Amino acid sequence: MAKSILVSTFILLCAVILESSILSNISVIYIVPDLVLICSIYFSLLNGKIVGETTGFISGILLDFITGIPFGFNCLFRTIIGYVAGIFAKNVIISGFILPMLCVGIGTIAKTLMVELLGLLFPNVHIYIAGIISYDFLFEFIENVLLAPFVFKFLSFFRKSLAVRSVKDSIDND
């Protein structure tokens, strides 16, 4: 399990750097897709609740540290999303095309709603919050949903290193 968490953390760190340092500086991209959220949902669906909440928390800490957002802001809702996605670990086929898009779409909506709720609870914290009814949310939602199958397919190349249990063990236990 420790190896899986370490590999997941390295992939999340790469996604955070890619998202916050490279993609955010490309002027052609209107809104940056949330690659970290997509990766966290993949890890949750692959391994379950405990790995889901752990990778959600780690991704939140990395984002808070690198982007300068108040510490713990991303950790809270990414941990919740990781845990909830992990509940469906044995029920969702992550190698498909439609289900990854559906899971990431629901995760993006949940993230936006939780960020809006945190913005209402802490109005003095000055963070840009795109509302659920905005072009920014629409573009991010479309980007995340369209990228989900490709990111899931890319991460499936590292499945042996990312899975807590081997593929053979999970087939035998089902």
Side-chain angles (χ1 to χ4, degrees):
M1 183 161 167
K3 178 184 170 190
S4 170
I5 297 293
L6 287 175
V7 173
S8 300
T9 301
F10 177 74
I11 291 173
L12 287 170
L13 178 63
C14 292
V16 167
I17 292 170
L18 178 69
E19 185 178 315
S20 64
S21 299
I22 298 171
L23 293 178
S24 65
N25 291 322
I26 298 175
S27 61
V28 178
I29 300 175
Y30 181 65
I31 296 292
V32 177
D34 198 344
L35 298 175
V36 179
L37 179 70
I38 298 170
C39 291
S40 296
I41 290 174
Y42 176 83
F43 301 144
S44 302
L45 293 173
L46 180 64
N47 292 315
K49 298 181 285 193
I50 296 184
V51 173
E53 67 186 14
T54 305
T55 56
F57 181 78
I58 290 169
S59 70
I61 283 182
L62 291 172
L63 277 170
D64 290 343
F65 183 71
I66 289 180
T67 59
I69 290 177
F71 201 67
F73 182 78
N74 282 301
C75 292
L76 178 64
F77 62 84
R78 290 180 186 274
T79 302
I80 294 169
I81 291 171
Y83 180 82
V84 172
I87 292 172
F88 302 102
K90 290 188 176 187
N91 301 325
V92 175
I93 302 169
I94 58 176
S95 61
F97 199 76
I98 300 296
L99 287 177
M101 293 172 78
L102 180 68
C103 292
V104 169
I106 291 170
T108 303
I109 292 170
K111 178 191 90 164
T112 304
L113 289 175
M114 284 189 258
V115 168
E116 279 190 13
L117 179 64
L118 287 174
L120 290 174
L121 293 175
F122 301 103
N124 294 333
V125 178
H126 300 290
I127 297 174
Y128 172 72
I129 299 172
I132 194 85
I133 303 174
S134 68
Y135 284 117
D136 292 351
F137 168 73
L138 179 66
F139 284 122
E140 182 183 4
F141 180 80
I142 291 170
E143 288 173 344
N144 287 353
V145 167
L146 291 178
L147 280 176
F150 301 107
V151 173
F152 276 41
K153 184 66 174 173
F154 175 74
L155 291 174
S156 70
F157 293 124
F158 307 104
R159 188 176 179 133
K160 284 186 179 181
S161 299
L162 292 172
V164 173
R165 298 182 312 173
S166 71
V167 178
K168 182 180 179 288
D169 290 341
S170 62
I171 291 172
D172 291 342
N173 290 335
D174 290 339

